[in-house]
C-alpha cells in the first residue's frame, strides 16, 4: 500500500469527474485547482465516475483509456495519492446499492426539473435512458457514501448539489441522521467558457484546450477562439470584460492583466496579438505539468496501482456507511 496520511477528524471532501479523457483548462480552473489545495487540510476523496459516463456513451471502447488519461492528468496536476484517495467509481460497487436506496426516497418530479437533464434530452433525443434522469441520485450516492461535506466543483454542478442536499435531508428525516448536507466549493473561476465564447468549456462541445496539449496544440486551439463579439475590425476598441480570451489572461497572465485590458480598450493590441500572448502564457504555465505527466507516464503500472490502492481505502469507508444505512432502514 502507498504511504497514505489520513487526517483524522478533518472534514471530508469528495469530488467526482466523468472519465472524459485528458482534462481541459475548464476542469482545471473550475475544480481541479481546489481539489489540489484542499488536500493539505481535509480528508479528500476523488473519484473517476465511470458509471456516470455510461449515461451518455454509446460505446465503451475508449473508456479504460479515458480513465487512465484523466487519472494521469490529476496526478500530474498535483493530486497526491499520499494525501488523497483516488479511485474509480465502479471499483467500489456499494455506490450502486446506495443509489438504489436513494432512488426510493427521491420524487421523480425533483429529477425531471433538473436543467442538465433537459439539456441532455435535447442533445441525445435518441438515447433518453433511465440513467440520465437518475444522474443526480447517483451523484448524491457518490458523495453520501463517503459522507462528503465539501464538494469542489464548477458552477455547472450547483443545481445537482442542491438536489443532493434535498435527497440526504429526506433520507435523514425518514430514517435518522446519517449524512451531512454537502456544500459546493467553487474556485474564483467557477465557469470557464469554451473557445466558442458561448457555451461552457466542455469535451461535449469540442470547444476546449487540454491541459496536456503541446505548445503548438495550445496555440492552434487558442487561435480558433472567438473574442469580443463587438470588436469587428482591428481598429475597434475592445471590451475585455466581454472577452473570453481576457478571462483566461486573468489566470494565465496575471502580472500583465491591467496592461492587456488597457491595450485592448484603446485598440493598442488586436485580438490576434492578444491570443498569441495567451497561447504563450498557457503554454509556459503548464510546462511543469507536462514534465510531471511525462515522468508519471514512464512508470509502468503506477496509475493502476494508485487506483487499486484508492479503491481498497474507499471500499472500507463505503462498507461502514452501508452497514449504518441498512441498520437505519431496517434492512439489517
Ligand atoms: P465536461 O463538461 O468536460 O464533461 P465534467 O462535467 O466531467 O466535464 O466536469 C468535471 C468537473 O469540472 C466538474 O466539477 C465541473 O463543474 C468542472 N468543470 C467542467 N467544465 C467546466 C468549465 N467550463 N468551467 C468551470 N468548471 C468546469
Amino acid at each position: 500500500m502507498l504511504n497514505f496520511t489520513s487526517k483524522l477528524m478533518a472534514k471530508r471532501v469528495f469530488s467526482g469527474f466523468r472519465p472524459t479523457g485528458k482534462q481541459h483548462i475548464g476542469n482545471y480552473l473550475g475544480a481541479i485547482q481546489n481539489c489540489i489545495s484542499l488536500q493539505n487540510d481535509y480528508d479528500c476523496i476523488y473519484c473517476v465516475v465511470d458509471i456516470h459516463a455510461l449515461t451518455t456513451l454509446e460505446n465503451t471502447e475508449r473508456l479504460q483509456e479515458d480513465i487512465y488519461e484523466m487519472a494521469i492528468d490529476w496526478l500530474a496536476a498535483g493530486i497526491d495519492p499520499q494525501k488523497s484517495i483516488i479511485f474509480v467509481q465502479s471499483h467500489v460497487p456499494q455506490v450502486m446499492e446506495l443509489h438504489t436506496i436513494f432512488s426510493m426516497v427521491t420524487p421523480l418530479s425533483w429529477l425531471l426539473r433538473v436543467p442538465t437533464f433537459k439539456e441532455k434530452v435535447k442533445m441525445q433525443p435518441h438515447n433518453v435512458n433511465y440513467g440520465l434522469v437518475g444522474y443526480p441520485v447517483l451523484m448524491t450516492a457518490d458523495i453520501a457514501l463517503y459522507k462528503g461535506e465539501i464538494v469542489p466543483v464548477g458552477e455547472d454542478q450547483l443545481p445537482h448539489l442542491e438536489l443532493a442536499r434535498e435527497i440526504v435531508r429526506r433520507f435523514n428525516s425518514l430514517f435518522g441522521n446519517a449524512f451531512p448536507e454537502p456544500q459546493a466549493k467553487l474556485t474564483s473561476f467557477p465557469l470557464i467558457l469554451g473557445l466558442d465564447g458561448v457555451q461552457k468549456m466542455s469535451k461535449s462541445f469540442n470547444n476546449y484546450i487540454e491541459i496536456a496539449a503541446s505548445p503548438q496544440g495550445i496555440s492552434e486551439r487558442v487561435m480558433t477562439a472567438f473574442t469580443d463579439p463587438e470588436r469587428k475590425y482591428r481598429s475597434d476598441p475592445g471590451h475585455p470584460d466581454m472577452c473570453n480570451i481576457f478571462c483566461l489572461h486573468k489566470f494565465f497572465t496575471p502580472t500583465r492583466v491591467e496592461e492587456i485590458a488597457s491595450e485592448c480598450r484603446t485598440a493598442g493590441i488586436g485580438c490576434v496579438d492578444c491570443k498569441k500572448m495567451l497561447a504563450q502564457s498557457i503554454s509556459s504555465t503548464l510546462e511543469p505539468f507536462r514534465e510531471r505527466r511525462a515522468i508519471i507516464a514512464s512508470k509502468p503500472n503506477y496509475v493502476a496501482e494508485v487506483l487499486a490502492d484508492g479503491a481498497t481505502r474507499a471500499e472500507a469507508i463505503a462498507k461502514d456507511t452501508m452497514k449504518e444505512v441498512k441498520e437505519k432502514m431496517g434492512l439489517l
Side-chain angles (χ1 to χ4, degrees), residues 15-20 23-24 26-32 70 135 152-157 189-194 200-204:
S15 195
F17 288 58
R18 284 183 312 130
T20 46
Q23 299 291 277
H24 55 69
N27 299 135
Y28 180 74
L29 298 183
I32 300 174
M70 179 161 169
Y135 194 105
V153 278
E155 197 176 85
D156 57 319
Q157 293 296 326
F189 294 86
L191 179 65
I192 299 295
L193 289 183
K200 73 161 194 167
M201 183 174 287
S202 170
K203 283 273 170 119
S204 316

Side-chain angles (χ1 to χ4, degrees), residues 62 87 253:
R62 280 188 51 93
F87 75 106
T253 326

Side-chain angles (χ1 to χ4, degrees), residues 6-147:
S6 171
K7 292 163 219 78
L8 289 175
M9 308 304 288
K11 280 193 177 178
R12 168 105 8 101
V13 170
F14 181 94
S15 195
F17 288 58
R18 284 183 312 130
T20 46
K22 290 181 177 159
Q23 299 291 277
H24 55 69
I25 58 181
N27 299 135
Y28 180 74
L29 298 183
I32 300 174
Q33 265 195 96
N34 266 347
C35 294
I36 297 165
S37 61
L38 291 165
Q39 295 181 110
N40 293 327
D41 301 317
Y42 296 93
D43 192 4
C44 297
I45 304 185
Y46 300 124
C47 180
V48 184
V49 291
D50 55 346
I51 305 292
H52 280 279
L54 303 179
T55 58
T56 52
L57 284 185
E58 283 173 43
N59 83 60
T60 53
E61 275 165 21
R62 280 188 51 93
L63 188 56
Q64 291 311 312
E65 193 184 329
D66 282 345
I67 292 172
Y68 171 83
E69 293 291 355
M70 179 161 169
I72 199 169
D73 270 357
W74 285 0
L75 296 169
I79 293 185
D80 180 349
Q82 296 189 354
K83 295 179 182 165
S84 302
I85 293 177
I86 307 163
F87 75 106
V88 178
Q89 184 185 30
S90 66
H91 297 179
V92 182
Q94 285 82 355
V95 75
M96 274 109 37
E97 230 179 330
L98 189 57
H99 164 254
T100 306
I101 286 170
F102 280 167
S103 72
M104 311 302 174
V105 302
T106 309
L108 187 56
S109 58
W110 290 4
L111 300 173
L112 294 175
R113 68 172 195 236
V114 173
T116 43
F117 172 64
K118 294 181 188 162
E119 276 164 32
K120 287 274 156 58
V121 170
K122 278 192 202 139
M123 282 170 74
Q124 51 181 69
H126 55 289
N127 183 19
V128 183
N129 56 70
Y130 169 71
L132 267 188
V133 78
Y135 194 105
V137 183
L138 182 56
M139 178 169 158
T140 307
D142 281 321
I143 301 167
L145 189 58
Y146 304 100
K147 303 206 174 187

Side-chain angles (χ1 to χ4, degrees), residues 169-234:
R169 213 174 286 145
R170 186 112 203 271
F171 180 96
N172 289 344
S173 74
L174 290 172
F175 300 109
N177 229 356
F179 302 111
E181 292 185 19
Q183 305 296 331
K185 171 90 179 154
L186 299 178
T187 68
S188 41
F189 294 86
L191 179 65
I192 299 295
L193 289 183
L195 298 172
D196 52 14
V198 182
Q199 311 191 80
K200 73 161 194 167
M201 183 174 287
S202 170
K203 283 273 170 119
S204 316
F205 304 131
N206 191 18
N207 61 1
Y208 57 88
I209 303 171
E210 287 174 347
I211 54 176
S214 64
Q216 193 190 338
I218 293 170
S219 171
E220 283 168 7
R221 294 294 275 181
V222 171
M223 294 320 277
T224 67
F226 283 73
T227 53
D228 169 6
E230 290 192 2
R231 191 172 184 195
K232 296 205 170 58
Y233 302 102
R234 168 70 178 76

Side-chain angles (χ1 to χ4, degrees), residues 258-273:
E258 296 306 324
E259 193 186 327
I260 294 167
S262 125
E263 289 187 350
C264 170
R265 283 195 191 98
T266 55
I269 51 168
C271 295
V272 172
D273 308 321

Side-chain angles (χ1 to χ4, degrees), residues 238-265:
H239 308 85
D241 294 328
M242 289 171 60
C243 178
N244 194 25
I245 293 297
F246 182 69
C247 171
L248 293 175
H249 271 302
K250 287 186 191 162
F251 181 82
F252 289 104
T253 326
T255 53
R256 297 187 57 197
V257 169
E258 296 306 324
E259 193 186 327
I260 294 167
S262 125
E263 289 187 350
C264 170
R265 283 195 191 98

